[in-house]
Each structure stands twice: as C-alpha cells, then as structure tokens.
C-alpha cells in the first residue's frame, strides 16, 4: 500500500512540472524527490511518469493514479479543515463535574448567560462531593475546591477560597463565644462532615489541628450548613457558601484570626493543555471572569478578610 508522503510528492511533481520545482516547494533535493518517486513506482509495480531531459509526462496509469491522488489529498485537507474549525468553535456537549453546593449556588444560576453567549453548546453538569476521575469517566473538566497536589491533570485557579469559623447568634448566646482553639475543642460543638472531621487552622500560633465533634454526624456538607444555621454549633465554612448569612447577621465569625489554609483555591481541572477544545476554554474563561481574584460572594467582607494578613505584616 502506498505511503501518504510519497503520494503527496508525486502530486507535487505533476503540479509543478518538474522534480526540482517540486523539491523547492517541499524543501527536498531533486535526488530525494526522484528516489521517492522510484520507490512509489516500485511499490505500485508500474511506471507513473515518463522522464526526458526536458520534461515529465504522465503515463496512462499515471494519469488515472494522479486523478485519484488529487481527490484523496483534497479529502484529507478538507478533513483537517473540518477538525480545525470544530476546535476553534465552541460547540457540542460540555461535561462538567462540580461540588454539589458550589455547583448549585455558583454555577447553575449563571448557565443561562453562558449558553446565551455560546448557542452551539449544551452543558451536562454533574454535581457530586466525591473525587471524580475526570479522564476515566469522560468529563471535559471538573471544578475543585482544594489545595491541589501534584497531578497529571492541568489546573487553572479561578478564585481564592476563604474558610472561616462561624456560628449562629442563638448558639453564641447560649454557649458563649470561644476564646481560643483549645476552648473551641473542649467546650463547643464543632460541626463537620465525616470526611472533614479534622480542621487544619492557620492562626497567630501557626498551624493548629482540631478534631471536631458535635450532636450530628453526616456525610453531607449541606446538612452541616443547615445545622449551623439552626444553632447547633460552630462550623468551618467557605464565604462562597455563607457570605449572605454573614452580611445579614444570621451568622457571626468566631476566632476571626483563624481560618483554613489560604492555599486552598477554586480550580478548573482538565486533562491536558495541548489541543484544549474551544468548549472547555470558553467555559473556563467565563468562570474566571465571573469570579476572579475578588469574587462577588466576598463583597462586604473586606474588613475581616484582610485582618490576619494585616496583623501578620504588622508583626514583621
């Protein structure tokens, strides 16, 4: 079976009218072009070109072969152009995995605007708090809230994530406000999912670990949120989750000098940077613009957001 490069050389020679002209077009010497043509004819078992000192002429077999080769090359060029156009235009179905609460609160409400800008796209949004194998399960990307470790995947940071200790006013009226991490662990109900039963807090004394315990056990972050609002204890929550409740006074910050690691961020994670499909790129760009380094859910919380950093700078 003929190799594709030899077919292309043959077509170039016929189109240019000489081996030297075809060689210049392709960056090959006339000797290499001649050798490749002989190899092609040997493979086919027939002569394609009659060579004279002045010109090249197609044989009868060469004429039929040339017509078919030109058609093949045109089809290949059209196929490559088709793929290139599809890669440049956001179309098809975008399969996205996201954490349950974040996806419901901060992705789903914005899908109408995204789809209005990208009418050839549809979105398959799967919400789960489990760690998804995005390659094995065929996802285009995943939204993850984490301090990312080394991975074969590519990640783009979309926004900072601030996690703070908070409680409802009724709980604080009943139990009092904790005055230290030790007081919090010894004397207060600490609400957390079974997957996050140890809190890693950064504060004036560096990193401190706190093992949680309270009146409920659950694997659901949303159940913890409801228990927090109901006044069952103290919880470590992200501002994207409880920003409105903080601004409205339904929740109050406790131990404001402590928070979870500042290295935790909101990331878009996807399999590869090479040949990134347009549908993935436009969605990531949309979210990055929507959230940004000062996301909308942190508006009005500037005073306490900058508190630990400001005090740390003053102490240096």
């Amino acid at each position: 079976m003929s190799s594709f490069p030899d077919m292309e050389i043959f077509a170039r020679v016929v189109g240019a009218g000489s081996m030297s002209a075809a060689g210049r077009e392709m960056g090959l010497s006339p000797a290499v072009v001649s050798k490749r043509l002989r190899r092609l004819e040997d493979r086919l078992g027939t002569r394609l070109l009659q060579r004279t000192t002045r010109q090249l002429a197609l044989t009868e077999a060469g004429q039929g072969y040339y017509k078919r080769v030109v058609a093949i090359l045109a089809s290949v060029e059209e196929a490559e152009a088709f793929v290139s156009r599809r890669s440049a235009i956001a179309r098809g179905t975008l399969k996205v995995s996201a954490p349950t609460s974040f996806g419901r609160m901060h992705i789903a409400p914005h899908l109408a605007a995204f789809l209005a800008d990208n009418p050839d796209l549809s979105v398959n949004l799967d919400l789960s708090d489990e760690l998804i194998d995005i390659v094995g399960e065929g996802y285009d990307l995943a939204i993850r809230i984490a301090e990312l470790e080394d991975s074969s995947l590519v990640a783009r940071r979309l926004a900072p994530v601030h996690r703070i200790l908070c409680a409802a006013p009724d709980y604080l009226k009943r139990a009092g406000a904790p005055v230290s991490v030790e007081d919090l662990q010894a004397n207060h109900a600490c609400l957390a999912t079974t997957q996050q039963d140890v809190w890693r807090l950064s504060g004036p004394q560096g990193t401190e670990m706190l093992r949680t315990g309270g009146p409920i056990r659950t694997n659901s972050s949303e159940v913890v949120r409801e228990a927090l609002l109901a006044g069952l204890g103290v919880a470590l929550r992200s501002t994207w989750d409880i920003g409105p409740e903080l601004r409205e006074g339904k929740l109050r910050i406790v131990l404001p000098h402590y928070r979870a690691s500042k290295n935790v961020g909101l990331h878009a994670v996807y399999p590869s940077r090479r040949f990134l499909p347009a549908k993935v790129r436009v969605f990531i760009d949309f979210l990055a613009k929507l959230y940004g380094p000062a996301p909308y859910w942190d508006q009005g919380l500037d005073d306490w957001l900058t508190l630990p950093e400001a005090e740390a700078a003053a102490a240096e």
Side-chain angles (χ1 to χ4, degrees):
M1 186 174 181
S2 298
S3 66
F4 186 82
D6 290 347
M7 293 168 60
E8 187 176 12
I9 288 175
F10 168 71
R12 286 290 190 100
V13 168
V14 174
S18 72
M19 295 185 193
S20 57
R24 285 193 297 271
E25 291 179 3
M26 305 184 73
L28 301 174
S29 69
V32 170
V33 173
S34 178
K35 181 179 179 180
R36 298 285 286 275
L37 286 176
R38 284 197 302 271
R39 184 173 70 179
L40 178 62
E41 290 176 330
D42 290 343
R43 185 178 297 115
L44 295 173
T46 189
R47 182 176 290 277
L48 300 173
L49 292 166
Q50 296 289 359
R51 302 167 179 81
T52 69
T53 56
R54 293 187 177 182
Q55 64 180 2
L56 294 174
L58 286 167
T59 64
E60 183 178 353
Q63 290 175 355
Y65 186 68
Y66 177 69
K67 289 180 180 179
R68 288 160 177 80
V69 166
V70 169
I72 291 170
L73 294 176
S75 296
V76 170
E77 184 176 348
E78 191 278 332
E80 291 180 346
F82 169 77
V83 172
S84 296
R85 288 194 302 271
R86 287 188 64 87
S87 298
I89 298 173
R91 65 176 67 195
T93 299
L94 180 69
K95 190 175 181 183
V96 182
S97 171
T100 302
S101 296
F102 186 87
R104 175 177 57 80
M105 297 173 68
H106 299 292
I107 296 179
H110 304 291
L111 288 180
F114 173 73
L115 292 173
D117 291 339
N118 298 276
D120 294 326
L121 267 178
S122 63
V123 176
N124 181 347
L125 178 62
D126 287 348
L127 302 182
S128 172
D129 293 326
E130 300 297 323
L131 187 62
I132 301 297
D133 177 4
I134 67 174
V135 175
E137 298 192 32
Y139 287 91
D140 294 302
L141 76 154
I143 303 302
R144 289 186 179 162
I145 301 169
E147 185 174 348
L148 293 183
E149 300 176 353
D150 289 341
S151 169
S152 60
L153 302 174
V154 182
R156 177 175 171 184
R157 188 178 176 95
L158 300 175
V161 171
H162 301 289
R163 300 182 70 208
I164 52 90
L165 294 162
C166 57
D170 286 348
Y171 174 83
L172 296 175
K173 183 178 180 179
R174 184 173 68 251
V179 296
S180 66
V181 173
E182 293 76 16
D183 178 30
L184 177 62
Q185 181 155 13
N187 301 309
H188 291 268
C190 297
L191 307 172
T193 63
T194 50
Q195 303 97 318
Q196 296 178 327
D197 59 351
V198 175
W199 292 343
R200 185 170 178 264
L201 302 174
S202 297
Q205 308 303 318
T207 300
E208 300 185 48
M209 311 299 288
L210 184 151
R211 183 165 293 279
T212 62
I216 63 170
R217 286 181 59 81
T218 179
N219 65 347
S220 169
S221 178
E222 294 197 340
V223 169
V224 171
R225 185 180 192 277
E226 293 305 311
L228 171 67
L229 291 169
L232 292 182
V234 178
L236 183 65
R237 306 297 294 183
S238 299
T239 53
W240 60 258
D241 185 36
I242 45 91
E245 287 76 13
L246 287 173
R247 286 186 286 268
E248 295 165 11
K250 295 178 181 178
L251 291 174
R252 294 178 184 170
I253 298 167
V254 300
L255 298 178
H257 300 87
Y258 287 87
R259 65 185 59 177
S261 172
K262 65 181 180 180
N263 294 324
V264 173
L266 177 71
H267 299 87
V269 180
Y270 47 99
S272 175
R273 186 176 283 110
R274 293 192 67 216
F275 308 123
L276 183 66
K279 62 182 181 179
V280 177
R281 175 180 50 78
V282 296
F283 189 65
I284 293 175
D285 289 345
F286 174 80
L287 295 183
K289 183 178 180 181
L290 177 65
Y291 306 145
Y296 60 81
W297 54 74
D298 283 341
Q299 291 179 6
L301 305 176
D302 294 343
D303 289 345
W304 74 264
L305 280 175
T306 58
L307 180 61
E309 288 82 356
E311 291 193 351
E316 293 179 354

